[in-house]
Amino acid sequence: RREQEPLLFMLLAEKLGVEASEIVDFELSLYDCQKGSFCGATDEFINSARLDNQMGCFVSLASLVNHASSAALDTDLDVSLVALFDHEEVGSDSTVGAGSTLIDESFKRVALALAGPNDAADSLEAMKRRSFCVSFDMAHAIHPNYSAKHEKNHAPKLNQGVVIKSNSNQRYATTGATGFLVRELGRSVGQDVQEFVVRNDCACGSTIGPIISSRTGIRSIDLGTPQLSMHSVREMGGTRDVEYAVDLLTAFFKEFRELDRL
């Protein structure tokens, strides 16, 4: 406590309606509490805090709801799920991060429920081999003032669709096979997906894709929608990219198994 700013304790105590001496410790996060807003001549941009990665959470859940509400669910033999994790920006190694046991335990429970205790172990391994993970996080859009930061042919633009992210150092989970499947999925819904590979002389961030892929053996791909000002208090994305992402992921839930037979 001696290392903390006394004025901060006074402000917290005032907000909480307690004496400053009653506060023994805290976990305090400061964040932008303004609502998101549209901007641009035709509201073509979204300004909001934490687009990375609440955008990914939203489009994933919206797509699952679309699939569950459609007639396609009646003939769907797969188990479709969306997993949302904490702590992605700080390494994911926590009890609630992608490095936790949540995914593996979920698979075990599904296998046990569908196959029973005698066959659950074999069914679990077969289930993993037939599964496919879409790691959906945001992608760095090209900035007009800093276009040299992108490779010429790998410069995602706002409102131009979903981005496939690749990295030869395995910072992203995309492979030739998983990239092919999603490009075919894009063609099926009339979308041209964008491509992103970070410049060789620039550091590359990572996602939960490689974590889940390496710990489970599940085929994975890293996707995202492009944005500017990533990790700033206020970020910018494209309005149309929300629709592009929901349409693509809804098609994924519906058409994956058929495409996987190619």
Side-chain angles (χ1 to χ4, degrees):
R1 178 179 171 136
R2 291 192 299 270
E3 300 173 355
Q4 301 292 345
E5 169 59 50
L7 181 58
L8 177 60
F9 273 89
M10 291 176 56
L11 291 173
L12 290 175
E14 181 181 342
K15 289 293 185 181
L16 295 171
V18 300
E19 295 294 328
S21 60
E22 296 181 73
I23 302 175
V24 295
D25 203 353
F26 53 77
E27 292 184 9
L28 183 64
S29 298
L30 305 180
Y31 59 93
D32 180 13
C33 59
Q34 298 178 83
K35 292 183 178 180
S37 61
F38 297 109
C39 70
T42 58
D43 288 342
E44 66 268 33
F45 302 121
I46 303 172
N47 290 329
S48 179
R50 301 178 297 282
L51 285 179
D52 176 30
N53 187 34
Q54 289 187 359
M55 175 84 83
C57 298
F58 172 78
V59 298
S60 299
L61 287 172
S63 303
L64 184 63
V65 169
N66 286 348
H67 178 61
S69 305
S70 70
L73 189 65
D74 297 336
T75 57
D76 187 1
L77 300 179
D78 288 318
V79 176
S80 300
L81 66 86
V82 169
L84 309 178
F85 296 98
D86 285 336
H87 300 156
E88 187 270 337
E89 297 293 356
V90 292
S92 296
D93 286 328
S94 70
T95 56
V96 291
S100 68
T101 59
L102 177 60
I103 283 292
D104 200 47
E105 290 177 357
S106 298
F107 269 84
K108 289 178 181 178
R109 289 172 181 264
V110 170
L112 183 63
L114 296 180
N118 295 329
D119 298 319
D122 288 340
S123 295
L124 175 62
E125 298 309 314
M127 186 188 307
K128 288 181 178 179
R129 292 296 172 260
R130 286 172 54 84
S131 294
F132 193 99
C133 172
V134 173
S135 168
F136 201 99
D137 205 344
M138 302 301 281
H140 290 281
I142 187 170
H143 193 293
N145 292 337
Y146 304 98
S147 58
K149 290 292 184 180
H150 281 72
E151 293 283 1
K152 181 179 179 181
N153 295 321
H154 298 274
K157 298 179 177 63
L158 298 180
N159 289 316
Q160 296 296 311
V162 175
V163 180
I164 294 178
K165 302 186 288 185
S166 304
N167 183 261
S168 59
N169 291 326
Q170 306 304 307
R171 302 293 287 172
Y172 300 134
T174 304
T175 67
T178 59
F180 166 78
L181 191 146
V182 170
R183 291 184 194 96
E184 289 299 310
L185 186 66
R187 292 189 185 97
S188 74
V189 294
Q191 290 188 29
D192 292 326
V193 295
Q194 303 188 82
E195 305 278 349
F196 175 70
V197 176
V198 72
R199 279 179 42 146
N200 289 339
D201 59 348
C202 294
C204 182
S206 191
T207 68
I208 67 172
I211 296 173
I212 292 178
S213 181
S214 62
R215 298 192 181 190
T216 65
I218 296 173
R219 294 170 294 168
S220 302
I221 190 170
D222 270 293
L223 303 179
T225 51
Q227 71 163 97
L228 296 173
S229 305
M230 187 180 291
H231 300 161
S232 297
V233 70
R234 202 78 171 163
E235 301 172 331
M236 175 182 282
T239 307
R240 291 196 298 274
D241 288 325
V242 179
E243 182 178 354
Y244 288 137
V246 171
D247 287 347
L248 186 70
L249 293 181
T250 300
F252 169 75
F253 286 123
K254 178 182 178 181
E255 301 178 18
F256 164 73
R257 188 56 61 198
E258 190 64 32
L259 282 173
D260 196 36
R261 296 191 180 98
L262 295 176

